[in-house]
Amino acid sequence: MFHSNTELLIDSWRRLVFAGLAPERAKLDPREFARAIPQTFITGRTEIGAYPVRLAGELIRDLFGRDLRGENLLDLWHPASRLELRSAMELARRAPSPIVATAKAKSADGRETAVEVFLAPLRGADGQNDRFLGLLQPTQPVQRLLGETVRTLVLQSITGADAEDAPRLRLAALDGRRIA
């Protein structure tokens, strides 16, 4: 069970899926999830591992203490979380299907709060899945950060939004180092 705002975005995204294709980004209507706009973001995809933030809601800007436009979404995550998140995003883009990551949002002084991060691919005019609709939804009070800004997100788990079509991530290790 996900947060109600995460469910809202999952439902909005699903309504736009046609013939197994990711929704066209031009058909996305933010009025459908107006209550979650402060936690919503759009990120592009220029190549594997490059996901520049294009838009970010007010709560996200407040949590990170800056405008994130142009920053790579993966750079907001702890280095140990990036490979798994990138792999899940690429699987979700190819499927196409939404994913939900649970994470800890941590400040520089170690304060933390729990969040859900929803990511779902969007199709551009050229037919390519070149963007992601995202939601960064706190699941614990942000007051736990005591006014400090988020320095990094630490991944706890990733799952598909549907148990049946969930991307099944498998981790592989080489010489004790996670590679996929």
Side-chain angles (χ1 to χ4, degrees):
M1 189 77 175
F2 301 121
H3 188 279
S4 60
N5 285 341
T6 304
E7 293 286 349
L8 178 65
L9 261 74
I10 291 168
D11 291 342
S12 294
W13 185 87
R14 280 190 195 133
R15 276 193 287 282
L16 296 173
V17 172
F18 178 74
L21 298 173
E24 293 179 42
R25 68 176 179 251
K27 293 194 177 183
L28 190 66
D29 185 358
R31 293 176 293 187
E32 285 192 32
F33 48 89
R35 74 174 191 234
I37 291 292
Q39 299 96 278
T40 305
F41 63 93
I42 299 284
T43 184
R45 181 202 180 266
T46 56
E47 62 184 356
I48 294 174
Y51 310 100
V53 175
R54 301 178 65 87
L55 297 169
E58 187 176 337
L59 178 67
I60 297 170
R61 289 191 308 265
D62 288 349
L63 284 174
F64 284 89
R66 65 187 187 278
D67 184 356
L68 299 175
R69 282 182 291 182
E71 291 189 40
N72 187 345
L73 179 69
L74 291 181
D75 292 343
L76 303 178
W77 293 80
H78 187 276
S81 301
R82 294 176 188 164
L83 179 60
E84 190 173 355
L85 183 64
R86 185 190 80 192
S87 297
M89 290 176 73
E90 289 301 315
L91 283 171
R93 188 180 71 80
R94 285 192 300 270
S97 63
I99 58 172
V100 178
T102 58
K104 292 289 184 183
K106 292 190 171 195
S107 68
D109 64 359
R111 298 182 200 291
E112 62 183 43
T113 194
V115 297
E116 283 179 352
V117 181
F118 164 82
L119 291 160
L122 296 173
R123 189 166 36 103
D126 63 358
Q128 299 298 311
N129 295 340
D130 63 352
R131 298 237 190 335
F132 285 88
L133 170 63
L135 176 80
L136 190 145
Q137 178 61 57
T139 56
Q140 291 179 327
V142 296
Q143 291 82 358
R144 294 175 61 136
L145 298 171
L146 296 178
E148 295 294 317
T149 59
V150 173
R151 167 74 55 91
T152 192
L153 298 169
V154 179
L155 184 64
Q156 294 183 302
S157 68
I158 299 178
T159 186
D162 294 321
E164 303 85 49
D165 67 355
R168 302 290 184 224
L169 298 179
R170 305 236 186 253
L171 298 180
L174 178 63
D175 297 325
R177 185 169 173 218
R178 223 168 51 179
I179 58 170

